[in-house]
Amino acid sequence: MTDPTHPRSPRPLDPIFSPHAVAVVGASRRRESLSFRLIHNLVVNEFAGVIFPVNPQASALHSLKCYPTVAAIPDPVDLAVIMVPRDKVQGMVEECVAKGVKGLIVITAGFSETGKEGAALEWRLRETVRAAGVRMIGPNCMGVINTDSEVTLDATFSPTPARRGAIGFVSQSGALGVAILNVAQDIGVGLTQFVSMGNKADVSGNDLIEHWEDDPETKVIAMYLESFGNPRRFTEIAKRVTRKKPILVVKSGRTAEGARAASSHTGAIAGTDVTVSAFLEQCGVLRANTIEEMFDVARALARVPLPSGFRVGIVTNAGGPAIMATDACVNLGLQIAELSDATRATLRSFLPPEASVGNPVDMIASATPENYAKSVAAVLDDPAVDMVMVINVTPVLANPIDVLQSIAAVTRERPKPVLAVMMATEEFYDAVKTQRDLPPVYHFPEPAARVMYLLARYAAWRRRPADRAAPDFATDDARVAEILGEVKDGYLDQAAAFRVLELYGVPVAKWRRVSGRDEVLKAAGEIGYPVVLKAVASDLVHKSEAGAVRVDLRDEEELGAAVAEMDRSVAAAGHAVEGFLVQEMARGGHEVIFGITTDPRFGPLLMFGLGGKYVEVFQDVRFAVTPLDAEEARDVVRGIRGFKLLEGVRGEPGADVDLLVEILLRLAQLSQRHPRIRELDVNPFLAGPDRASARALDARIRVGEPSV
Ligand code: ADP
Ligand code: MG
């Protein structure tokens, strides 16, 4: 990379990744020690620079001359790997700083991961390196690998080395890092750099993404994360970098975060891991479910071009796997491409008459490597095809490597991705795993389909215009703040909640907030029958359950009786009735839910989904973080599973989708401008075919001190 004809500008992490001289501080002569192992890795992986072990008790180590202190090293040192006991780390770091060392890797554990005392030591370390302008990885990490042939640095104690490749990989967990190097070795995945970042006292995942942003060798950034240090900065960096290269994340704790105690639907659902998924998706980051899937996707991203759409062509020599592939693609939302007549005719011209030339193209078991090449070429050349999955079930005596090579020959000249599902032996996989000029291979159609789906999603993200701004609605925020200010900590009155919505341009069903029977009857007269009656009580959260909602009351008589009954049933449920809400009776339309909740890390979260009784049963909702632009809001609304219902099925009228998108954006603005809103549920919002027929029927807003 340090090509003298194209010198690249130095980057802040260069002393760590590309040092000329490395000191290993706390080097032990015991062969079973981690420090000996690390020096061994530096030596046997042929580090291109000089190694200086530091140990006051030894004169030589692993046939290298040993120095008693860092200061005693006669030459300049770029990088120091610190492996001394915890209480000596601070002193050693200071010694390194004094020596002029520019990069540090602190392997030693016992810092913030162990509690308060460790956290204080870690804080001091950070202050020291930041003051000195030195960059530090760790503490509590496993080290760094750089496979660049000019450097070949393996400053880890991993028993497995890394192979040169196109993936920059960072792991928050050290132990998992070792396991990942093993897996990478097994499946033949190569890396540009490997970083175990430990406690991230100084260098964070964000810094590493920025390091790889303009590194031409790193085609894919892959991360194993347990937490987001600074989600706001991550958003900013990830949104920028994913326009240039993909970022893949495996975030652990998918379910462990668990449900938070929250009374609103939005809050309860948001407590689960969907928050993180929504957040990553909005940043253009691909989330893999497992390490295996991460490598499956990374391999493809490093080798194939991005598809221009979601339409898949399938070419196979066996029917069964093609059906599996079709199912997997359709389930993920990919489309099975419709091949043109011309493509079919071409296929027909050389395939046996028993072959099927629709999509999937089934060439039948007799297919030769040449058949594969010609069929894949024909399908790739069809303008209705965005990418191709080739399936090969090894027939007796045929060599799958020949098949793969003939496919590679035709895919190289065509700018569409081709993935191969090779149902072949492990010998085959061993033979092809390091051949980077072959299409990526998968054992089964399902993982290949999943990879195609993520490629298509990422490509769609890249096609989006950058720098989209959130819209700005004219709203009376002073008035809203005043209403929200009426309650210090807790729920707003129904009337106040509706007023906030109205001030934010959200249509609300006609309502009157009144106190006694006479006022109820008067309000109903003004609104017009039939009406809906609801009891108001400050501690009443789920009104229907307490008999506090009566719909479709057609005249004074029914309404008067309902007031009396409601007084009784609400009191029986243990609530003191403070008054009533009379509403127009709304009919038709689809019940949806809008919600706001606040996450301590991500700030305000917006939610949309099927509302009313559907919320409890299906939890068919999507989340988004703020700021939210129109494109993202549309993704949220269109992204729920039941979106087809909102489009109208079986002659039923659909909902005004543009209005739903607009309301989501208005609520996003509300959440950002009024951080005192802790939770908001509009459930149900009745969505009709146009603006005039859409209205909120129920709203709850909880306010309190802002958490972020
Ligand atoms: P809660 O959610 O506290 O139980 P809601 O005010 O949401 O009470 O009312 C419960 C259900 O009653 C709603 O989901 C809706 O189906 C129906 N409903 C409420 N208000 C109206 C209204 N104004 N017009 C028609 N139906 C209504
Ligand atoms: Mg409700």
Side-chain angles (χ1 to χ4, degrees), residues 543 683-684 698:
K543 295 181 290 298
N683 183 31
D698 183 24

CSV table of all heavy atoms in Angstrom, one decimal, residues 543 683-684 698, ligand 2:
chain,number,residue,atom,x,y,z
A,543,LYS,N,-58.5,2.1,28.5
A,543,LYS,CA,-59.9,2.4,28.8
A,543,LYS,C,-60.9,1.3,28.6
A,543,LYS,O,-61.7,1.0,29.4
A,543,LYS,CB,-60.3,3.6,28.0
A,543,LYS,CG,-59.5,4.9,28.4
A,543,LYS,CD,-60.0,6.1,27.6
A,543,LYS,CE,-59.6,6.0,26.1
A,543,LYS,NZ,-58.2,6.0,25.9
A,683,ASN,N,-53.5,5.5,19.0
A,683,ASN,CA,-54.0,4.1,18.7
A,683,ASN,C,-55.4,4.0,19.2
A,683,ASN,O,-55.7,4.0,20.4
A,683,ASN,CB,-53.1,3.1,19.5
A,683,ASN,CG,-53.6,1.7,19.2
A,683,ASN,OD1,-54.1,1.4,18.1
A,683,ASN,ND2,-53.4,0.8,20.1
A,684,PRO,N,-56.3,3.9,18.3
A,684,PRO,CA,-56.1,3.8,16.8
A,684,PRO,C,-56.1,5.2,16.1
A,684,PRO,O,-56.7,6.1,16.6
A,684,PRO,CB,-57.2,3.0,16.3
A,684,PRO,CG,-58.4,3.3,17.3
A,684,PRO,CD,-57.7,3.6,18.6
A,698,ASP,N,-57.8,8.0,19.5
A,698,ASP,CA,-57.3,7.9,20.8
A,698,ASP,C,-55.8,8.3,20.9
A,698,ASP,O,-55.1,8.0,20.0
A,698,ASP,CB,-57.4,6.4,21.3
A,698,ASP,CG,-57.0,6.2,22.8
A,698,ASP,OD1,-57.1,7.2,23.5
A,698,ASP,OD2,-56.7,5.1,23.1
B,2,MG,MG,-56.5,3.1,22.2
